[in-house]
Amino acid sequence: MTRLFLLPALLLSNGFAAAPGYPESRKEALSETLHGVEVADPYRWLEDDRSEETADWVAAQNAVSQTYLKGLPERDAIRSRLKELWNFERIGRPSEYGGKWFFTHNSGLQNQSVLMVADALDAKPRVLLDPNTLSEDGTVSLASWRPSEDGSKLAWAISVGGSDWREVRVRDVATGKDLEDRVEWVKFSPLAWKKDGSGFFYSRYDAPAKGAALTGKNEFHKLYYHQLGTPQSEDELVYERPDEADSGFRAGVSEDGDYLLIHVVQGTSPKNRFFYRKIDGGEVIELLSDNDASYRFIGNTGTRFYFRTNLEAPRYRVISIDLDEPDRKQEVIPESGSLLQSVSMVGGQLIANYLHHASSRVRSFDLEGKPIREIKLPGIGSVRGFGGRGDDTFCFYSFTSFTNPGAIYRYELGSGESSLWQKPQVGFDERAYETKQVFVPSKDGTKVPVFLVHKRGLELDGSHRTLLYAYGGFNISQTPYFSVSRAVWLERGGVFALANLRGGGEYGSEWHDGGRLLNKQNGFDDFTSVAEWLVDENYTTSGKLAIQGGSNGGLLVGACMTQRPELFGACLPAVGVMDMLRFHLFTIGWAWEKEYGSPNDPKHFRNLLRYSPYHNLKPGTRYPATLVTTADRDDRVVPAHSFKFAARLQEYQAKDGPPVLIRIDTSAGHGAGTALDKVIDRVADQWAFLEANL
């Protein structure tokens, strides 16, 4: 039986919020011996997302959390300001297909952005697809979309409740009506049309067993072709690897329409293979089959294929391969001192987007690698875009920073001139804040880049609530971008710090390798070193310092709060990987073994056990105030990670310790596609929780 003890959230005389009574979480006498080590797992029953007992536990935890959070004195004011600031028009970068222009639009507080189409850039757009009409609560999202080359058809995929599963449909652009085509059980897949618009390529898994859609293991990806007007049961199986359970396929079609392009990945390995075939069939050619580096197809001119790669270049370079001479790799753009983050082929140029100490620099080259110019940007921030075709004369890019909501610019390929196309109007005074970058020595002396954002003229007296955020994994780079939630944090006097930890991609493959597998602890040390620096430099004190991260960043927060609980005042681990001994058993978790190591390997097992948040909680320890967040339909990092961690954290928290709660969203997933009103509610709860406990 679940017993519930409800107390209102009170402010004690010392200013901290009182901890509520927690629901009772049943413990099982369950343990197993792994590689000679006995490991207890008393809350494994929470892994069963279909059981009535788990559902009751979720309801009881949410009841306690919501009673506590709604009683916090600043929550309503924070929520009101979030809603007010989020209410601004947002327009996505436009893309042209068949003379029509497609872009997303949000009038302000719509739960999901709407897909628009216009007959010209200066023509009045019309609504092509409004995902807000697909559900009453805004929890069905437009997960991806791709027009056919002539702009007459739209392949679009929906996600229900934030799930990674996709259902693909096809819409006639002229009439706005859907065809009968339906493609199900699509996951981790782009949509790639044949140039003639007769059908598209996609990747999927076999349909999961009944009741296993949100937790069942995803293996044996398959690449298919769907011919319009035919049922999915007749789709052509283009490629599979029954000998490789962990291979995944990302299909594309070359701009000339001649080639089917197949990126072959294995889990989250930074290395991949690249295959191709003629578009209408024939043998699949294994052009790059050694799995010796990362290869990202950029574009082609006839049989000359261009790739961004880290082959013999940790910070990446551009090479080309002629299909008639496949063993010869020609360097086009050499490796530089900055990370080559992405490359676009447009208008006969290669537009290279670099990261220099985690902020964007952009340069253009001709197709032989001769430099053309450095593209002038509005400031220090992050750039996305520059996509297009070989005969385009202009393209679009977006720019944003921590305090600037950014804008979309039109870039003339011939002259190199940029002109403003769209700029949002946000009620946030960016002039009142400053951003700077510092380099903090980690435990082993490695310099860790940190962005600091706060009000101008900040006095370093240790009095400021400070939020430290990081990710630190999977070769993913964290760069400056505008966030409404962080803007509200800044307005309320908070300091925001973003740390670029080892394990990320900010400095290329060596930086990534320095924080993964057996080096994972380096990223945790980087994070705690930055936290110590913030205290030592009098930005804040430990009691006023909060840490935040999601997914792999949730693991980061969980590991650091269990290793250094005295260093932090509050923790916000979101959708985190908390059980490092069983992550590989659910959905796509096995793919992360390339990042974390395999629990089945004794060497990696010992390393994983050393930092696994769930296993390193200690009875009677005074842990920081903690608000764990997850969602009931997260099929990327299954919510059992957060459930088990929260149950044990509540059991072990010191009797006089601050609150340790879990907030479980419903009809939401890992994050992408979450309805805006749910996002606003969650952030209001998080910021109110921090203000009450720091």
Side-chain angles (χ1 to χ4, degrees), residues 417-439:
E417 294 297 317
S418 294
S419 57
L420 182 65
W421 185 67
Q422 291 284 347
K423 182 176 176 62
Q425 301 300 315
V426 185
F428 175 74
D429 183 9
E430 64 178 285
R431 298 167 299 178
Y433 304 90
E434 59 180 309
T435 300
K436 63 182 178 181
Q437 189 177 40
V438 297
F439 296 85

PDB file of all heavy atoms in Angstrom, residues 417-439:
ATOM      1  N   GLU A 417      27.022  39.819 -48.606  1.00  0.00           N
ATOM      2  CA  GLU A 417      26.255  40.734 -47.772  1.00  0.00           C
ATOM      3  C   GLU A 417      25.118  40.005 -47.051  1.00  0.00           C
ATOM      4  O   GLU A 417      24.455  39.143 -47.632  1.00  0.00           O
ATOM      5  CB  GLU A 417      25.668  41.869 -48.614  1.00  0.00           C
ATOM      6  CG  GLU A 417      26.711  42.787 -49.221  1.00  0.00           C
ATOM      7  CD  GLU A 417      27.523  43.520 -48.163  1.00  0.00           C
ATOM      8  OE1 GLU A 417      26.901  43.993 -47.181  1.00  0.00           O
ATOM      9  OE2 GLU A 417      28.748  43.597 -48.311  1.00  0.00           O
ATOM     10  N   SER A 418      24.899  40.379 -45.796  1.00  0.00           N
ATOM     11  CA  SER A 418      23.779  39.855 -45.019  1.00  0.00           C
ATOM     12  C   SER A 418      22.761  40.957 -44.794  1.00  0.00           C
ATOM     13  O   SER A 418      23.131  42.112 -44.523  1.00  0.00           O
ATOM     14  CB  SER A 418      24.252  39.326 -43.659  1.00  0.00           C
ATOM     15  OG  SER A 418      25.089  38.204 -43.795  1.00  0.00           O
ATOM     16  N   SER A 419      21.487  40.605 -44.905  1.00  0.00           N
ATOM     17  CA  SER A 419      20.419  41.563 -44.615  1.00  0.00           C
ATOM     18  C   SER A 419      19.389  40.904 -43.707  1.00  0.00           C
ATOM     19  O   SER A 419      19.121  39.703 -43.817  1.00  0.00           O
ATOM     20  CB  SER A 419      19.750  42.041 -45.908  1.00  0.00           C
ATOM     21  OG  SER A 419      19.234  40.944 -46.651  1.00  0.00           O
ATOM     22  N   LEU A 420      18.827  41.688 -42.806  1.00  0.00           N
ATOM     23  CA  LEU A 420      17.854  41.167 -41.851  1.00  0.00           C
ATOM     24  C   LEU A 420      16.576  40.749 -42.569  1.00  0.00           C
ATOM     25  O   LEU A 420      16.018  41.511 -43.357  1.00  0.00           O
ATOM     26  CB  LEU A 420      17.538  42.240 -40.808  1.00  0.00           C
ATOM     27  CG  LEU A 420      16.577  41.848 -39.691  1.00  0.00           C
ATOM     28  CD1 LEU A 420      17.173  40.765 -38.811  1.00  0.00           C
ATOM     29  CD2 LEU A 420      16.211  43.074 -38.855  1.00  0.00           C
ATOM     30  N   TRP A 421      16.116  39.524 -42.302  1.00  0.00           N
ATOM     31  CA  TRP A 421      14.859  39.048 -42.888  1.00  0.00           C
ATOM     32  C   TRP A 421      13.732  39.075 -41.856  1.00  0.00           C
ATOM     33  O   TRP A 421      12.672  39.615 -42.108  1.00  0.00           O
ATOM     34  CB  TRP A 421      15.028  37.635 -43.454  1.00  0.00           C
ATOM     35  CG  TRP A 421      13.815  37.145 -44.174  1.00  0.00           C
ATOM     36  CD1 TRP A 421      13.306  37.626 -45.341  1.00  0.00           C
ATOM     37  CD2 TRP A 421      12.935  36.091 -43.756  1.00  0.00           C
ATOM     38  NE1 TRP A 421      12.168  36.934 -45.690  1.00  0.00           N
ATOM     39  CE2 TRP A 421      11.918  35.981 -44.739  1.00  0.00           C
ATOM     40  CE3 TRP A 421      12.924  35.215 -42.664  1.00  0.00           C
ATOM     41  CZ2 TRP A 421      10.897  35.037 -44.649  1.00  0.00           C
ATOM     42  CZ3 TRP A 421      11.904  34.275 -42.575  1.00  0.00           C
ATOM     43  CH2 TRP A 421      10.901  34.191 -43.561  1.00  0.00           C
ATOM     44  N   GLN A 422      13.965  38.496 -40.692  1.00  0.00           N
ATOM     45  CA  GLN A 422      12.965  38.508 -39.637  1.00  0.00           C
ATOM     46  C   GLN A 422      13.669  38.646 -38.289  1.00  0.00           C
ATOM     47  O   GLN A 422      14.694  38.013 -38.055  1.00  0.00           O
ATOM     48  CB  GLN A 422      12.149  37.201 -39.630  1.00  0.00           C
ATOM     49  CG  GLN A 422      11.238  37.016 -40.821  1.00  0.00           C
ATOM     50  CD  GLN A 422       9.994  37.867 -40.745  1.00  0.00           C
ATOM     51  OE1 GLN A 422       9.692  38.431 -39.692  1.00  0.00           O
ATOM     52  NE2 GLN A 422       9.264  37.960 -41.847  1.00  0.00           N
ATOM     53  N   LYS A 423      13.101  39.473 -37.413  1.00  0.00           N
ATOM     54  CA  LYS A 423      13.646  39.622 -36.066  1.00  0.00           C
ATOM     55  C   LYS A 423      12.491  39.636 -35.070  1.00  0.00           C
ATOM     56  O   LYS A 423      11.561  40.442 -35.195  1.00  0.00           O
ATOM     57  CB  LYS A 423      14.446  40.920 -35.934  1.00  0.00           C
ATOM     58  CG  LYS A 423      15.085  41.117 -34.550  1.00  0.00           C
ATOM     59  CD  LYS A 423      15.937  42.364 -34.493  1.00  0.00           C
ATOM     60  CE  LYS A 423      16.493  42.624 -33.098  1.00  0.00           C
ATOM     61  NZ  LYS A 423      17.371  41.527 -32.643  1.00  0.00           N
ATOM     62  N   PRO A 424      12.508  38.755 -34.092  1.00  0.00           N
ATOM     63  CA  PRO A 424      11.420  38.727 -33.109  1.00  0.00           C
ATOM     64  C   PRO A 424      11.478  39.933 -32.175  1.00  0.00           C
ATOM     65  O   PRO A 424      12.550  40.474 -31.905  1.00  0.00           O
ATOM     66  CB  PRO A 424      11.674  37.429 -32.339  1.00  0.00           C
ATOM     67  CG  PRO A 424      13.142  37.193 -32.476  1.00  0.00           C
ATOM     68  CD  PRO A 424      13.523  37.722 -33.824  1.00  0.00           C
ATOM     69  N   GLN A 425      10.331  40.321 -31.707  1.00  0.00           N
ATOM     70  CA  GLN A 425      10.228  41.423 -30.751  1.00  0.00           C
ATOM     71  C   GLN A 425       9.887  40.843 -29.377  1.00  0.00           C
ATOM     72  O   GLN A 425       8.777  40.374 -29.143  1.00  0.00           O
ATOM     73  CB  GLN A 425       9.148  42.422 -31.198  1.00  0.00           C
ATOM     74  CG  GLN A 425       9.400  43.023 -32.568  1.00  0.00           C
ATOM     75  CD  GLN A 425      10.715  43.788 -32.639  1.00  0.00           C
ATOM     76  OE1 GLN A 425      11.041  44.570 -31.739  1.00  0.00           O
ATOM     77  NE2 GLN A 425      11.472  43.566 -33.709  1.00  0.00           N
ATOM     78  N   VAL A 426      10.884  40.841 -28.495  1.00  0.00           N
ATOM     79  CA  VAL A 426      10.734  40.220 -27.183  1.00  0.00           C
ATOM     80  C   VAL A 426      10.851  41.297 -26.110  1.00  0.00           C
ATOM     81  O   VAL A 426      11.702  42.191 -26.201  1.00  0.00           O
ATOM     82  CB  VAL A 426      11.821  39.142 -26.959  1.00  0.00           C
ATOM     83  CG1 VAL A 426      11.596  38.420 -25.642  1.00  0.00           C
ATOM     84  CG2 VAL A 426      11.820  38.150 -28.110  1.00  0.00           C
ATOM     85  N   GLY A 427      10.017  41.199 -25.088  1.00  0.00           N
ATOM     86  CA  GLY A 427      10.022  42.197 -24.020  1.00  0.00           C
ATOM     87  C   GLY A 427      11.103  41.949 -22.996  1.00  0.00           C
ATOM     88  O   GLY A 427      10.829  41.879 -21.787  1.00  0.00           O
ATOM     89  N   PHE A 428      12.342  41.811 -23.467  1.00  0.00           N
ATOM     90  CA  PHE A 428      13.479  41.554 -22.582  1.00  0.00           C
ATOM     91  C   PHE A 428      14.575  42.554 -22.928  1.00  0.00           C
ATOM     92  O   PHE A 428      14.964  42.691 -24.096  1.00  0.00           O
ATOM     93  CB  PHE A 428      13.985  40.121 -22.796  1.00  0.00           C
ATOM     94  CG  PHE A 428      15.227  39.785 -22.010  1.00  0.00           C
ATOM     95  CD1 PHE A 428      15.162  39.574 -20.642  1.00  0.00           C
ATOM     96  CD2 PHE A 428      16.462  39.673 -22.643  1.00  0.00           C
ATOM     97  CE1 PHE A 428      16.307  39.250 -19.915  1.00  0.00           C
ATOM     98  CE2 PHE A 428      17.602  39.354 -21.931  1.00  0.00           C
ATOM     99  CZ  PHE A 428      17.526  39.143 -20.565  1.00  0.00           C
ATOM    100  N   ASP A 429      15.069  43.266 -21.939  1.00  0.00           N
ATOM    101  CA  ASP A 429      16.067  44.313 -22.163  1.00  0.00           C
ATOM    102  C   ASP A 429      17.467  43.712 -22.112  1.00  0.00           C
ATOM    103  O   ASP A 429      18.079  43.618 -21.047  1.00  0.00           O
ATOM    104  CB  ASP A 429      15.916  45.413 -21.113  1.00  0.00           C
ATOM    105  CG  ASP A 429      16.886  46.569 -21.353  1.00  0.00           C
ATOM    106  OD1 ASP A 429      17.542  46.598 -22.425  1.00  0.00           O
ATOM    107  OD2 ASP A 429      16.996  47.431 -20.467  1.00  0.00           O
ATOM    108  N   GLU A 430      17.980  43.313 -23.263  1.00  0.00           N
ATOM    109  CA  GLU A 430      19.296  42.662 -23.306  1.00  0.00           C
ATOM    110  C   GLU A 430      20.416  43.613 -22.894  1.00  0.00           C
ATOM    111  O   GLU A 430      21.488  43.174 -22.458  1.00  0.00           O
ATOM    112  CB  GLU A 430      19.577  42.110 -24.703  1.00  0.00           C
ATOM    113  CG  GLU A 430      19.671  43.167 -25.793  1.00  0.00           C
ATOM    114  CD  GLU A 430      19.995  42.552 -27.140  1.00  0.00           C
ATOM    115  OE1 GLU A 430      21.164  42.166 -27.337  1.00  0.00           O
ATOM    116  OE2 GLU A 430      19.077  42.469 -27.978  1.00  0.00           O
ATOM    117  N   ARG A 431      20.200  44.909 -22.986  1.00  0.00           N
ATOM    118  CA  ARG A 431      21.247  45.881 -22.651  1.00  0.00           C
ATOM    119  C   ARG A 431      21.580  45.877 -21.157  1.00  0.00           C
ATOM    120  O   ARG A 431      22.647  46.345 -20.760  1.00  0.00           O
ATOM    121  CB  ARG A 431      20.805  47.283 -23.070  1.00  0.00           C
ATOM    122  CG  ARG A 431      20.577  47.438 -24.575  1.00  0.00           C
ATOM    123  CD  ARG A 431      19.853  48.737 -24.876  1.00  0.00           C
ATOM    124  NE  ARG A 431      18.540  48.768 -24.220  1.00  0.00           N
ATOM    125  CZ  ARG A 431      17.706  49.799 -24.276  1.00  0.00           C
ATOM    126  NH1 ARG A 431      18.055  50.892 -24.940  1.00  0.00           N
ATOM    127  NH2 ARG A 431      16.540  49.742 -23.656  1.00  0.00           N
ATOM    128  N   ALA A 432      20.670  45.327 -20.359  1.00  0.00           N
ATOM    129  CA  ALA A 432      20.889  45.328 -18.906  1.00  0.00           C
ATOM    130  C   ALA A 432      21.801  44.198 -18.451  1.00  0.00           C
ATOM    131  O   ALA A 432      22.124  44.108 -17.265  1.00  0.00           O
ATOM    132  CB  ALA A 432      19.542  45.236 -18.183  1.00  0.00           C
ATOM    133  N   TYR A 433      22.250  43.346 -19.396  1.00  0.00           N
ATOM    134  CA  TYR A 433      23.012  42.156 -19.023  1.00  0.00           C
ATOM    135  C   TYR A 433      24.314  42.077 -19.811  1.00  0.00           C
ATOM    136  O   TYR A 433      24.445  42.643 -20.896  1.00  0.00           O
ATOM    137  CB  TYR A 433      22.166  40.898 -19.267  1.00  0.00           C
ATOM    138  CG  TYR A 433      20.850  40.962 -18.542  1.00  0.00           C
ATOM    139  CD1 TYR A 433      19.726  41.515 -19.158  1.00  0.00           C
ATOM    140  CD2 TYR A 433      20.741  40.527 -17.234  1.00  0.00           C
ATOM    141  CE1 TYR A 433      18.519  41.613 -18.490  1.00  0.00           C
ATOM    142  CE2 TYR A 433      19.530  40.618 -16.553  1.00  0.00           C
ATOM    143  CZ  TYR A 433      18.425  41.165 -17.178  1.00  0.00           C
ATOM    144  OH  TYR A 433      17.245  41.274 -16.506  1.00  0.00           O
ATOM    145  N   GLU A 434      25.257  41.357 -19.257  1.00  0.00           N
ATOM    146  CA  GLU A 434      26.521  41.164 -19.941  1.00  0.00           C
ATOM    147  C   GLU A 434      26.884  39.683 -19.962  1.00  0.00           C
ATOM    148  O   GLU A 434      26.483  38.913 -19.091  1.00  0.00           O
ATOM    149  CB  GLU A 434      27.639  41.961 -19.272  1.00  0.00           C
ATOM    150  CG  GLU A 434      27.892  41.618 -17.812  1.00  0.00           C
ATOM    151  CD  GLU A 434      29.017  42.457 -17.217  1.00  0.00           C
ATOM    152  OE1 GLU A 434      30.099  42.496 -17.840  1.00  0.00           O
ATOM    153  OE2 GLU A 434      28.802  43.071 -16.153  1.00  0.00           O
ATOM    154  N   THR A 435      27.643  39.322 -20.979  1.00  0.00           N
ATOM    155  CA  THR A 435      28.117  37.953 -21.136  1.00  0.00           C
ATOM    156  C   THR A 435      29.628  37.973 -21.249  1.00  0.00           C
ATOM    157  O   THR A 435      30.191  38.801 -21.970  1.00  0.00           O
ATOM    158  CB  THR A 435      27.527  37.305 -22.407  1.00  0.00           C
ATOM    159  OG1 THR A 435      26.095  37.290 -22.322  1.00  0.00           O
ATOM    160  CG2 THR A 435      28.032  35.880 -22.577  1.00  0.00           C
ATOM    161  N   LYS A 436      30.276  37.078 -20.546  1.00  0.00           N
ATOM    162  CA  LYS A 436      31.722  36.945 -20.702  1.00  0.00           C
ATOM    163  C   LYS A 436      32.093  35.475 -20.635  1.00  0.00           C
ATOM    164  O   LYS A 436      31.314  34.632 -20.162  1.00  0.00           O
ATOM    165  CB  LYS A 436      32.474  37.738 -19.649  1.00  0.00           C
ATOM    166  CG  LYS A 436      32.253  37.309 -18.207  1.00  0.00           C
ATOM    167  CD  LYS A 436      33.046  38.229 -17.267  1.00  0.00           C
ATOM    168  CE  LYS A 436      32.805  37.871 -15.807  1.00  0.00           C
ATOM    169  NZ  LYS A 436      33.549  38.765 -14.888  1.00  0.00           N
ATOM    170  N   GLN A 437      33.283  35.171 -21.117  1.00  0.00           N
ATOM    171  CA  GLN A 437      33.772  33.802 -21.104  1.00  0.00           C
ATOM    172  C   GLN A 437      35.049  33.719 -20.291  1.00  0.00           C
ATOM    173  O   GLN A 437      35.944  34.555 -20.445  1.00  0.00           O
ATOM    174  CB  GLN A 437      34.020  33.294 -22.528  1.00  0.00           C
ATOM    175  CG  GLN A 437      34.328  31.812 -22.614  1.00  0.00           C
ATOM    176  CD  GLN A 437      34.506  31.343 -24.047  1.00  0.00           C
ATOM    177  OE1 GLN A 437      35.105  32.044 -24.862  1.00  0.00           O
ATOM    178  NE2 GLN A 437      33.986  30.173 -24.380  1.00  0.00           N
ATOM    179  N   VAL A 438      35.114  32.733 -19.415  1.00  0.00           N
ATOM    180  CA  VAL A 438      36.311  32.497 -18.612  1.00  0.00           C
ATOM    181  C   VAL A 438      36.760  31.056 -18.840  1.00  0.00           C
ATOM    182  O   VAL A 438      36.000  30.228 -19.358  1.00  0.00           O
ATOM    183  CB  VAL A 438      36.065  32.751 -17.113  1.00  0.00           C
ATOM    184  CG1 VAL A 438      35.706  34.202 -16.861  1.00  0.00           C
ATOM    185  CG2 VAL A 438      34.970  31.828 -16.577  1.00  0.00           C
ATOM    186  N   PHE A 439      37.987  30.758 -18.455  1.00  0.00           N
ATOM    187  CA  PHE A 439      38.533  29.409 -18.602  1.00  0.00           C
ATOM    188  C   PHE A 439      39.009  28.939 -17.233  1.00  0.00           C
ATOM    189  O   PHE A 439      39.957  29.483 -16.673  1.00  0.00           O
ATOM    190  CB  PHE A 439      39.658  29.406 -19.632  1.00  0.00           C
ATOM    191  CG  PHE A 439      39.189  29.755 -21.015  1.00  0.00           C
ATOM    192  CD1 PHE A 439      39.082  31.082 -21.417  1.00  0.00           C
ATOM    193  CD2 PHE A 439      38.795  28.765 -21.904  1.00  0.00           C
ATOM    194  CE1 PHE A 439      38.617  31.414 -22.675  1.00  0.00           C
ATOM    195  CE2 PHE A 439      38.325  29.083 -23.164  1.00  0.00           C
ATOM    196  CZ  PHE A 439      38.237  30.410 -23.556  1.00  0.00           C
TER     197      PHE A 439
END
